[in-house]
Amino acid sequence: MALTQEQLNELRSKLDATLVDIKSELGEIADEKGEVKKPEFGSDVESTEDLPEEADEAEEFATNIAISSGLKSRLEDIEQALRKMNAGTYGACEKCKMAIPYEVLQAVPESRLCQSCKLDQK
């Protein structure tokens, strides 16, 4: 079943809002090149008492790398979904070309696969 213009508008709004949110989250942990901001390791170490703080900074940096990777992947999916909307191909499964149900797209508007193909992928 083809999506109505109203449904497409609703999904585009969700994608646009999520795009803004993800870019904001990335902006908090990454620089303008998209690289995770590195703490100044060792720059504020004056004694061995400061080592736990350095360990915390290293742990936070590692966590931010993982978060950044996931956000960049989702950002790519959202941008792809918006390109598909502009091309008129949004809502079709990339594998079988069948329509992705509206209910699925409401939950995850950047979905690339229908439920059947997604299950086959696992």
Side-chain angles (χ1 to χ4, degrees):
M1 178 173 100
L3 296 169
T4 66
Q5 190 60 49
E6 185 178 326
Q7 290 170 328
L8 283 169
N9 291 342
E10 176 193 335
L11 294 168
R12 181 182 295 276
S13 292
K14 281 186 175 186
L15 288 166
D16 286 339
T18 305
L19 186 73
V20 169
D21 290 345
I22 289 175
K23 285 182 176 182
S24 175
E25 286 182 60
L26 276 171
E28 292 176 16
I29 61 173
D31 60 22
E32 50 283 338
K33 295 178 185 175
E35 300 295 322
V36 175
K37 295 174 187 172
K38 295 177 182 151
E40 296 179 22
F41 293 116
S43 65
D44 54 355
V45 175
E46 295 180 15
S47 70
T48 56
E49 292 175 5
D50 295 326
L51 292 178
E53 182 181 336
E54 292 297 308
D56 289 344
E57 289 175 355
E59 183 178 346
E60 181 179 355
F61 179 63
T63 299
N64 286 346
I65 288 174
I67 291 169
S68 173
S69 176
L71 289 173
K72 286 178 184 178
S73 177
R74 185 139 187 246
L75 184 66
E76 183 180 308
D77 289 344
I78 290 168
E79 289 172 338
Q80 177 67 18
L82 290 167
R83 283 191 294 274
K84 286 180 177 183
M85 277 188 172
N86 292 335
T89 59
Y90 177 76
C93 176
E94 290 183 355
K95 189 172 180 185
C96 72
K97 309 301 182 212
M98 297 296 292
I100 299 171
Y102 175 63
E103 296 75 24
V104 172
L105 294 171
Q106 276 185 305
V108 186
E110 66 271 22
S111 294
R112 293 177 172 222
L113 301 172
C114 68
Q115 292 167 313
S116 178
C117 291
K118 185 94 171 163
L119 289 173
D120 288 345
Q121 194 177 30
K122 291 182 178 182

